[in-house]
Amino acid sequence: MKKNSLQANKHVFGPVASRRLGLSLGVDLVKHKTCTFNCIYCECGPTTKHSGKRKEYVSRSKVISELDKILASSPGLDYVTFSGSGEPTLNSALGKVIGFIKDKYPAYKVAVLTNSSLLGSSSVRRDLSRADVVEASLDAVSAAAFEKINRPCINIKPEEFIKGIEETARRIKGQLWIEIFIVPGINDTGEELKLIKQALERIKPAEIHINTLDRPGTESDVMPADTAALEKVRRFFLPLESRIIAHPYPGSRKGAFSAGKLEDMVLALLSRRPSTLEDLKTAFAVREEELKSHLLQLRNSGRISVIKKQRGDFYKIS
Ligand code: SF4
């Protein structure tokens, strides 16, 4: 394997241009698509493995070996981010993998994106304790909106995981951020926003991010909220400060991070999130012509397809 190559990696992908975290190396601790929820907006597609049970869904040693090879070459990154094909806190080795990065490569910041469902568990909170950022989702507080948006596969009530988020915010050394994904007609009503705001006042997150659909979601009838609607939500939360992040990150490449085989890296990213040509250009910092020729070959071989959405043509795994 070439130096810096991601060619043979199964669990580490990117780096990708993240709207919240800059240049982010992804770590996927579950197999597609393992989750406690089946959100209507999920960009990974429908949940096929519903579970609330923690275990090593993918092997800790394999993940650590992939990370070790990549981080040893000191790539320029803003974050190493646990996200991907499902809920990362489901993997019981999460704390060990974070610990490996923090002990061997302390210069790298670690972020974990979680749907919050397992934050009520003290072992999950312990696993997250060394993360620099935990971004916890909070899309709904009322049972009705929660059921409609997140469609939980486990028996959990919003009040339970909100307590878990509060506890996590108090216990972790890093920052607790909240992401609220606005689904028009479900969680943008005055009543629901009021409940979310009350929860935010209890949690006191370091940052609040307002998001909406940016790429194809699981249910085709879910529409993005427009800029005016997102701005209305932002104003509703005042005096709590929040940020609308529903726009692509412009991106920058900070260091010499030579891609492995571009085609494999594109496939690894598209298997976790549909992306436009612009997204891929930003993520991999390659010439448009080169990227287009790979995309054409992948389309001709039937491995990827294109879906038209408001933000443009999205490439996705067929
Ligand atoms: S958006 Fe996150 S929490 Fe929701 S189904 Fe997808 S992976 Fe699971």
Side-chain angles (χ1 to χ4, degrees), residues 33 35 37-39 41-42 47 86 115:
K33 173 33 214 322
C35 198
F37 290 173
N38 183 24
C39 303
Y41 60 76
C42 185
T47 299
N115 67 13

Side-chain angles (χ1 to χ4, degrees), residues 30 33-47 84-88 113-117 137 139 149-151 153 181 218:
V30 293
K33 173 33 214 322
T34 310
C35 198
T36 49
F37 290 173
N38 183 24
C39 303
I40 54 175
Y41 60 76
C42 185
E43 63 194 27
C44 304
T47 299
S85 308
E87 173 53 33
L113 311 186
T114 174
N115 67 13
S116 309
S117 59
S137 289
D139 301 327
I149 296 176
N150 301 119
R151 302 189 297 191
C153 316
F181 196 100
T218 293

Side-chain angles (χ1 to χ4, degrees), residues 190-201:
E191 208 175 321
E192 193 64 38
L193 290 175
K194 192 172 161 200
L195 292 172
I196 294 174
K197 185 174 178 180
Q198 284 166 354
L200 293 171
E201 285 163 347

Side-chain angles (χ1 to χ4, degrees), residues 89-109:
T89 62
L90 274 169
N91 194 311
S92 51
L94 172 64
K96 298 244 171 19
V97 182
I98 294 175
F100 165 78
I101 298 168
K102 286 295 172 190
D103 291 340
K104 190 158 180 191
Y105 300 101
Y108 287 102
K109 288 196 283 186

Side-chain angles (χ1 to χ4, degrees), residues 70-84:
I70 294 164
L71 298 181
S73 61
S74 308
L77 297 169
D78 294 303
Y79 279 91
V80 178
T81 305
F82 290 80
S83 64

Side-chain angles (χ1 to χ4, degrees), residues 52-65:
K53 186 172 160 34
R54 299 195 80 207
K55 62 177 188 175
E56 271 192 51
Y57 287 89
V58 300
S59 145
R60 170 196 359 164
S61 58
K62 286 188 182 150
V63 176
I64 286 178
S65 154

Side-chain angles (χ1 to χ4, degrees), residues 279-317:
D279 295 339
L280 294 169
K281 263 169 60 186
T282 310
F284 299 125
V286 288
R287 285 185 308 111
E288 184 168 320
E289 289 315 311
E290 188 185 352
L291 196 49
K292 275 183 170 167
S293 110
H294 282 288
L295 291 169
L296 186 62
Q297 280 173 30
L298 289 169
R299 278 186 78 180
N300 288 343
S301 66
R303 298 176 77 187
I304 64 170
S305 55
V306 177
I307 178 168
K308 285 193 184 301
K309 286 282 161 182
Q310 194 171 320
R311 190 157 72 74
D313 288 353
F314 282 80
Y315 295 90
K316 63 190 260 296
I317 295 290

